[in-house]
Amino acid sequence: MKKQVAQLKVNAQGDLPLLQITDTHLFSDREKDLLGIKTVQSYEAVIEHASKYSSECLAVLSTGDLSQDHSEQSYIDFTTHIKTLNMPCYWLPGNHDIQAVMLPSLLQQGLAQTRQIISDYWQIIMLDSQVEGVVYGALSDQQFCFLEDALNEYPDKHTLICIHHHVLPVGSKWLDQHILKNGQQFLDIIGAFDNVRAVLSGHVHQAGDTLKNGVCFMTTPSTCVQFKPNSIDFALDSQAPGYRYLSLNKEGDITTHVERIEQGAFTVDANAKGY
């Protein structure tokens, strides 16, 4: 596997302030909606809200499901708006992305595929959990080998792992069917290293923060539709689209919170039974 490494310098305090923007589900048509929300327009509203961090944050982490219709234009629109934040964007695929379209489209727009981000005190590992043609996730043997190699390479750096699919159940029966299927193997691997601080995911369209064996597992709202927490069957939430702010400090601690745009700016179809 090609290494595809990026270097990221810390700020004057030795911290890495970052944004996570995830699950944009863009269409080529800005008027097209997903479950009542026009995803291009809600994405633009989130980017505008996040622009207040442009002078502070050093990079964006985008954790999959960039496109809903798999079009080249949807990926171009993603890059056009993310570039207005004036910071590098590191991305990985979700279950809705078609990598044969995604990769060349993003590369053409200057968003190189990066698997490993190295900084003074931290490394960030970007994993591909996509299983083509299905909703759930799994890590291939190749991905597991890459993960172990990266952790062994920098034992003295704190580590943040980014992956589209959630690793721990979120308590929604229908969503947890689509979890990372070999999550226990993932947990066993990271459990052998004492420098893994956090795992950051998208996929579930809701905010979550769970501490397990000293590792913080975080999920983040979508820039469009939100899924209702703790629901047995498919259910939408009325909370506003959002994103996550994180600051990784040199001691290994993480300061983080979820931001949302104005409530009521976009409204989901309350009668939707799935998508």
Side-chain angles (χ1 to χ4, degrees):
M1 180 185 291
K2 190 177 179 181
K3 288 199 68 173
Q4 298 169 316
V5 178
Q7 300 286 331
L8 195 58
K9 291 185 177 181
V10 297
N11 66 15
Q13 291 74 43
D15 300 333
L16 272 182
L18 307 165
L19 296 177
Q20 182 198 11
I21 291 176
T22 192
D23 295 87
T24 53
H25 291 272
L26 301 180
F27 295 95
S28 59
D29 181 356
R30 64 176 287 108
E31 296 298 324
K32 192 163 179 58
D33 72 89
L34 176 67
L35 302 170
I37 290 185
K38 295 178 180 178
T39 60
V40 177
Q41 296 181 35
S42 64
Y43 172 56
E44 291 173 352
V46 167
I47 293 295
E48 182 178 359
H49 193 284
S51 66
K52 66 182 180 180
Y53 290 110
S54 289
S55 62
E56 175 187 350
C57 288
L58 301 175
V60 178
L61 304 173
S62 185
T63 47
D65 283 357
L66 276 59
S67 177
Q68 180 66 19
D69 66 359
H70 320 131
S71 64
E72 180 182 3
Q73 187 60 49
S74 65
Y75 292 113
I76 292 172
D77 286 345
F78 174 83
T79 59
T80 297
H81 295 294
I82 212 79
K83 284 179 180 179
T84 65
L85 295 176
N86 297 314
M87 62 186 85
C89 175
Y90 305 109
W91 53 271
L92 49 80
N95 51 286
H96 282 277
D97 293 305
I98 299 296
Q99 296 199 51
V101 181
M102 182 185 203
L103 181 57
S105 299
L106 295 181
L107 286 175
Q108 182 183 12
Q109 297 299 311
L111 268 63
Q113 188 173 34
T114 301
R115 302 184 188 277
Q116 194 174 9
I117 304 156
I118 308 302
S119 193
D120 296 58
Y121 310 105
W122 284 79
Q123 74 162 323
I124 302 171
I125 299 172
M126 309 289 286
L127 294 178
D128 179 357
S129 59
Q130 185 190 77
V131 181
E132 190 172 351
V134 299
V135 181
Y136 66 79
L139 291 170
S140 65
D141 290 343
Q142 188 182 47
Q143 289 289 309
F144 278 126
C145 287
F146 164 62
L147 173 61
E148 285 193 273
D149 288 347
L151 290 171
N152 279 311
E153 186 176 6
Y154 293 102
D156 298 327
K157 291 186 187 292
H158 313 298
T159 300
L160 169 66
I161 299 171
C162 296
I163 182 171
H164 177 68
H165 291 85
H166 59 307
V167 177
L168 302 181
V170 295
S172 289
K173 185 177 180 180
W174 73 276
L175 274 174
D176 289 335
Q177 297 177 80
H178 308 311
I179 200 168
L180 185 75
K181 292 295 186 181
N182 49 6
Q184 188 57 54
Q185 186 177 353
F186 172 82
L187 293 172
D188 290 344
I189 288 174
I190 68 171
F193 297 86
D194 60 9
N195 59 335
V196 178
R197 299 286 176 255
V199 177
L200 185 64
S201 300
H203 191 52
V204 296
H205 291 226
Q206 57 188 246
D209 192 332
T210 302
L211 191 66
K212 182 180 176 66
N213 298 329
V215 179
C216 183
F217 291 80
M218 294 174 282
T219 60
T220 296
S222 164
T223 65
C224 55
V225 174
Q226 311 308 309
F227 296 145
K228 189 175 182 179
N230 303 312
S231 54
I232 295 174
D233 299 315
F234 176 89
L236 297 179
D237 198 1
S238 60
Q239 288 207 73
Y243 60 100
R244 183 180 288 273
Y245 167 90
L246 311 94
S247 183
L248 316 182
N249 75 26
K250 58 186 177 183
E251 286 80 24
D253 295 324
I254 300 175
T255 301
T256 185
H257 63 269
V258 165
E259 296 260 12
R260 295 183 189 269
I261 64 171
E262 180 185 357
Q263 185 68 31
F266 296 90
T267 305
V268 294
D269 177 3
N271 296 316
K273 302 299 182 185
Y275 77 107

